[in-house]
Amino acid sequence: MIVHVAVPVPGLGLLTYRVPSGIPRPVVGARVVVPLGNRIVTGIVMDDAPASTVDDAAIKPIKELMDTDAFVPADVVELARWTAEYYAAGPGDTITAVLPPMARGGRTDAHKTIRVAAITAAGLEAVHDPEKVALRDTQVDALRLLAGVPAGISTPELAARGIAADAVARLAKKGFVSLRADRVDRDPFEAAAAKGIEIDLARTLTQEQESALARLRGFADARTFQVALLHGVTGSGKTEIYLRLAAAVRDGGRRALVLVPEIALTPVVTSFFRDAFRDRVAIQHSGLSDGERHDQWQRIRRGDVDVVIGTRSAVFAPLEDVGLIVVDEEHDGSYKQEE
């Protein structure tokens, strides 16, 4: 069996590889590790290749299948293919925009983890009779603290409470404490949040806002593709229309994508939407660290968000059931990429 693979190398078209015996049939959107010249790169399976007149043995095999299911949803893969064809760019260019940064090099350890200590049954017994097991005062304090939080406490939090890492390690060695690594998402919102934003969603809209919102809600409720231009000077309340329309779409079981022309505009827009949607908001732009972008991308892919805010590259976010796309300041030239 042979497959077409897109690799994140500009100017390259789809490459053909053989699936060796012992490796399951890759699905569209799965990541594969493949040879490319004298390099090893990570690509995305785009489709099954048609029957070839070339002997399969002459086609280079994939080295590793990284995903049993689609890492990139099939509709996002299709969007990348359409974009490559429309702009005569090639999938090597568009697949780079589709993948989160830390997934392009084939890393499987891209998630941030934190060590968490939890008390064991033996530890609970030791709390009741610490002299029997010859524990130091700091160790007894640690066990008593952990006994009050059965789910466990992170080692940084324990350190902040005066329990050093070596004390936790000794307790773990004695079997009184278990240690595990919990995955945590890097949170970019502290840096992205704008200060001094006050939002009153109960505020009465102006007549023009009410009229615009009613027409836009009619388009959204029709659940068919519609285009509308919302025109208003700065400060006329367009963002409130976006918010209420996004809320209506969310209440109907769908999600919203909000594009802004520049990274500098995301803090204000993010603050508005975070106030209304809380932690159901994700952001995507190149100003985030690779780790933050990776975690935000994964939250979107898991379906943990209702609104994605970002610059032009956010159109490739793996957001399902999209009911609204807002292109704020759509006349801005930053939405266009010369090359």
Side-chain angles (χ1 to χ4, degrees), residues 113-262:
T113 59
I114 189 168
R115 293 187 86 193
V116 176
I119 195 167
T120 63
L124 287 171
E125 291 182 8
V127 169
H128 297 301
D129 193 359
E131 295 182 1
K132 181 179 179 181
V133 290
L135 294 177
R136 296 179 180 176
D137 290 343
T138 55
Q139 293 174 322
V140 175
D141 291 342
L143 289 177
R144 286 174 177 164
L145 185 60
L146 290 169
V149 187
I153 301 175
S154 68
T155 50
E157 185 177 346
L158 287 171
R161 299 190 184 192
I163 310 299
D166 60 342
V168 177
R170 291 191 186 96
L171 289 170
K173 190 173 183 180
K174 293 176 181 289
F176 298 148
V177 164
S178 64
L179 292 172
R180 68 177 189 271
D182 283 0
R183 171 181 163 176
V184 293
D185 287 336
R186 285 154 282 217
D187 187 0
F189 291 106
E190 182 177 353
K195 307 301 181 184
I197 297 294
E198 294 183 1
I199 304 167
D200 181 11
L201 291 179
R203 187 181 72 84
T204 302
L205 296 180
T206 66
Q207 185 175 352
E208 284 188 331
Q209 287 175 320
E210 286 282 9
S211 176
L213 180 60
R215 292 188 62 189
L216 292 171
R217 284 202 62 170
F219 291 154
D221 292 343
R223 291 179 177 258
T224 58
F225 180 72
Q226 302 274 357
V227 177
L229 174 64
L230 182 63
H231 178 69
V233 298
T234 301
S236 59
K238 295 188 295 293
T239 303
E240 288 203 45
I241 302 298
Y242 304 157
L243 275 170
R244 299 187 190 212
L245 189 58
V249 165
R250 187 267 313 271
D251 292 343
R254 294 180 294 166
R255 297 180 171 92
L257 172 65
V258 180
L259 301 180
V260 295
E262 298 180 12

Side-chain angles (χ1 to χ4, degrees), residues 228-243 257-270 272-273 308-312 315 324-336:
L229 174 64
L230 182 63
H231 178 69
V233 298
T234 301
S236 59
K238 295 188 295 293
T239 303
E240 288 203 45
I241 302 298
Y242 304 157
L243 275 170
L257 172 65
V258 180
L259 301 180
V260 295
E262 298 180 12
I263 294 173
L265 297 175
T266 57
V268 172
V269 177
T270 298
F272 275 106
F273 278 88
V308 173
I309 299 170
T311 50
R312 64 189 182 203
V315 298
L324 171 68
I325 300 175
V326 174
V327 186
D328 193 29
E329 304 290 338
E330 58 86 25
H331 58 278
D332 196 295
S334 297
Y335 284 118
K336 297 180 176 64

Side-chain angles (χ1 to χ4, degrees), residues 72-94:
V72 178
D75 57 346
V76 178
V77 171
E78 185 58 32
L79 175 61
R81 293 196 65 161
W82 179 89
T83 304
E85 182 178 352
Y86 185 85
Y87 290 101
D93 296 275
T94 55

